[in-house]
C-alpha cells in the first residue's frame, strides 16, 4: 500500500496508470489516499483472458507543496468479472445431469446440448440451465450442432457423450462425435475441455479393441492433443447413483455404495490380485455420479487440474470441490 500512498506528492497521475494494467482484477478494491487532495477520475483496463473489464477509479492527488495528511479516503475499483460458463454435451443424461446440477450449485452458468433437451423432472436446479435439444441420434447432436448458438462465451466444454451398439455405432458415438466436439471447441477458442471416458478394467488388449474402448481412447487422444495443458480426461469405472430412465428411478446406489465400502475395507487383501487380467471388473471401486460431477467441475475451475485421472484421483478431485 505504501507505493500507492506515495502518489499523494505528485500533481498528475504517473504515466503507467494511463496504460492497461496487467495484474488480476478483483470485484472491489479500496486504497487509502489523503482526504485533502483534489479529485480526478481515470479508467483502467484490466485484461481478463479473452475479454477486458473496465474499472472506474476515483483518485485524489495533492499539489507538490501540500503536506500529506494522515487522514485518508478511499478509491473504489469496481470490476465486472466474467463468470464461468460451461457447455455440457449430453447434459440430460445420467452423468450429464449430475454435472449440470453440480455446476449450478457452484454458481456456474450452464448450457446443455442433448437429444431430448430439457428433462421431464422438475428439480429446482433444472430451471437454472439453458437446455438445447438435438435430433434423434446422439452423435448427430454433435455432428450437426449449431455451434454459433452453443459455444460463444463458454469457458469450458464437458462431454459425457458415449453409448453402446454395433462396432460402427460405438466408434462414431464414443469416438468421432467427441472428436468433432473437441475440434469445434478448439476452433471457438474455448480454453478447457473435460471428457468423461472409462476405466480400462485391466482388460486384455483383444477386449480393449472393441468399438466402445477404441472410440473412447480416440476421443481422449484428441482432447490431450488439442488441450495439452487444460484438457481433462476422467476414467471412472462403475458409476452409481439414482438413474432416471423413462420416468422411473433406478437406485444404482443400493449396489454401488455398499460395494465401494466393501472394496475399500478389503483393499489390502485384494490388492495382490489387481495385476490379473480383467481383475478390475470385480476389484475396481465404484464411484458415485456426484463424485464424477464434482471432479468435472474441478476441471472447470482449477487451472492446475489437467491430464488423465483414475477412479481414486476422481474421488480426490471431488473432495476438493466439495470442501
Amino acid at each position: 500500500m505504501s507505493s500507492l500512498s506515495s502518489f499523494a506528492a505528485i500533481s498528475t497521475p504517473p504515466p503507467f496508470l494511463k496504460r492497461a494494467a496487467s495484474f488480476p482484477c478483483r470485484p472491489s478494491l479500496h486504497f487509502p489516499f489523503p482526504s485533502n487532495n483534489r479529485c480526478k477520475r481515470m479508467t483502467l483496463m484490466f485484461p481478463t483472458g479473452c475479454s477486458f473489464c473496465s474499472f472506474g477509479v476515483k483518485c485524489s492527488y495533492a499539489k507538490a507543496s501540500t503536506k500529506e495528511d494522515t487522514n485518508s479516503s478511499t478509491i473504489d475499483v469496481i470490476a465486472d468479472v466474467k463468470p464461468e460458463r460451461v457447455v455440457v454435451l449430453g447434459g440430460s443424461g445420467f452423468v450429464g445431469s449430475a454435472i449440470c446440477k453440480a455446476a449450478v450449485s457452484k454458481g456456474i452458468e450452464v448450457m446443455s446440448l442433448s437429444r431430448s433437451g430439457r428433462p421431464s423432472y422438475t428439480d429446482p436446479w433444472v430451471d437454472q440451465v439453458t437446455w438445447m435439444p438435438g435430433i434423434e441420434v446422439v452423435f448427430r447432436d454433435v455432428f450437426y450442432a449449431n455451434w454459433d448458438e452453443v459455444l460463444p462465451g463458454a469457458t469450458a466444454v464437458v462431454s459425457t457423450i458415449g453409448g453402446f451398439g454395433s462396432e460402427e455405432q460405438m466408434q462414431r458415438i464414443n469416438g468421432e462425435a467427441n472428436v468433432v466436439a473437441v475440434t469445434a471447441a478448439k476452433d471457438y477458442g474455448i480454453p478447457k475441455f473435460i471428457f468423461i471416458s472409462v476405466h480400462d478394467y485391466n482388460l486384455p488388449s483383444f477386449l480393449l479393441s472393441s468399438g466402445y474402448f477404441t472410440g473412447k481412447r480416440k476421443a481422449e487422444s484428441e482432447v490431450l492433443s488439442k488441450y495439452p495443458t487444460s484438457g481433462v480426461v476422467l476414467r471412472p469405472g462403475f458409476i452409481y447413483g439414482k438413474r432416471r430412465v423413462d420416468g422411473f428411478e433406478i437406485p444404482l446406489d443400493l449396489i454401488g455404495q455398499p460395494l465401494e465400502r466393501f472394496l475399500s475395507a478389503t483393499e489390502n487383501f485384494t490388492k495382490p490380485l489387481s495385476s490379473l487380467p480383467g481383475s478390475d471388473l470385480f476389484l475396481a471401486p465404484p464411484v458415485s455420479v456426484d463424485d464424477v460431477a464434482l471432479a468435472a467441475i474441478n476441471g472447470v475451475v482449477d487451472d492446475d487440474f489437467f491430464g488423465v485421472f483414475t477412479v481414486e484421483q476422481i474421488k480426490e478431485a471431488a473432495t476438493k470441490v466439495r470442501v
Side-chain angles (χ1 to χ4, degrees):
M1 293 299 182
S2 60
S3 62
L4 288 172
S5 298
S6 64
F7 294 164
I10 59 177
S11 57
T12 58
F16 75 88
L17 285 178
K18 298 177 182 179
R19 301 193 299 269
S22 60
F23 45 89
C25 54
R26 303 281 183 183
S28 181
L29 301 176
H30 301 277
F31 301 114
F33 276 85
S35 58
N36 62 342
N37 297 338
R38 294 175 300 152
C39 291
K40 297 184 179 181
R41 184 174 181 83
M42 60 185 175
T43 298
L44 307 182
M45 298 299 292
F46 291 74
T48 58
C50 60
S51 62
F52 285 86
C53 50
S54 178
F55 290 67
V57 184
K58 293 181 180 179
C59 300
S60 298
Y61 299 92
K63 295 181 179 179
S65 59
T66 303
K67 184 177 180 181
E68 184 174 349
D69 194 337
T70 56
N71 296 324
S72 62
S73 57
T74 63
I75 61 170
D76 294 327
V77 180
I78 302 172
D80 183 15
V81 181
K82 184 179 179 181
E84 299 285 358
R85 179 178 179 272
V86 61
V87 174
V88 181
L89 305 179
S92 60
F94 175 47
V95 177
S97 60
I99 293 172
C100 290
K101 180 180 179 181
V104 167
S105 73
K106 298 299 178 182
I108 298 173
E109 184 181 346
V110 187
M111 175 179 285
S112 164
L113 176 66
S114 62
R115 283 184 297 171
S116 55
R118 184 187 177 95
S120 57
Y121 48 88
T122 57
D123 290 352
W125 63 268
V126 173
D127 293 332
Q128 299 180 58
V129 176
T130 301
W131 301 96
M132 299 288 290
I135 52 180
E136 293 185 3
V137 184
V138 173
F139 57 78
R140 288 185 179 174
D141 285 353
V142 176
F143 286 164
Y144 300 105
N146 186 348
W147 297 117
D148 288 335
E149 295 180 356
V150 177
L151 294 180
T155 57
V157 173
V158 181
S159 177
T160 68
I161 294 173
F164 294 93
S166 66
E167 284 293 304
E168 180 184 2
Q169 287 174 328
M170 290 190 293
Q171 283 279 5
R172 290 173 67 83
I173 295 172
N174 297 305
E176 294 174 26
N178 284 298
V179 168
V180 169
V182 174
T183 301
K186 191 65 177 179
D187 289 344
Y188 276 78
I190 311 304
K192 297 180 181 180
F193 198 101
I194 297 96
F195 175 53
I196 311 301
S197 188
V198 64
H199 183 54
D200 63 14
Y201 295 100
N202 200 23
L203 292 172
S205 57
F206 73 91
L207 290 177
L208 292 174
S209 64
S210 72
Y212 182 82
F213 287 103
T214 56
K216 290 282 190 180
R217 297 299 178 254
K218 181 178 181 179
E220 288 183 9
S221 296
E222 194 70 10
V223 172
L224 299 175
S225 172
K226 285 190 165 58
Y227 290 89
T229 59
S230 61
V232 176
V233 173
L234 303 182
R235 289 183 175 177
F238 172 60
I239 303 175
Y240 66 85
K242 289 179 171 58
R243 183 166 192 160
R244 291 183 172 94
V245 179
D246 296 330
F248 295 95
E249 192 173 79
I250 303 174
L252 297 176
D253 49 336
L254 295 181
I255 300 172
Q257 198 168 51
L259 182 57
E260 181 183 16
R261 291 173 179 171
F262 172 77
L263 290 173
S264 177
T266 60
E267 183 180 6
N268 291 336
F269 301 99
T270 60
K271 202 166 188 178
L273 303 175
S274 61
S275 60
L276 297 175
S279 58
D280 278 0
L281 286 170
F282 307 99
L283 301 180
V287 57
S288 77
V289 69
D290 293 332
D291 280 352
V292 175
L294 289 173
I297 298 306
N298 191 54
V300 173
V301 301
D302 186 352
D303 292 340
D304 295 324
F305 186 76
F306 58 89
V308 179
F309 296 88
T310 63
V311 174
E312 290 303 325
Q313 291 169 326
I314 289 171
K315 294 178 182 180
E316 291 172 5
T319 300
K320 287 174 58 179
V321 178
R322 187 179 287 111
V323 172

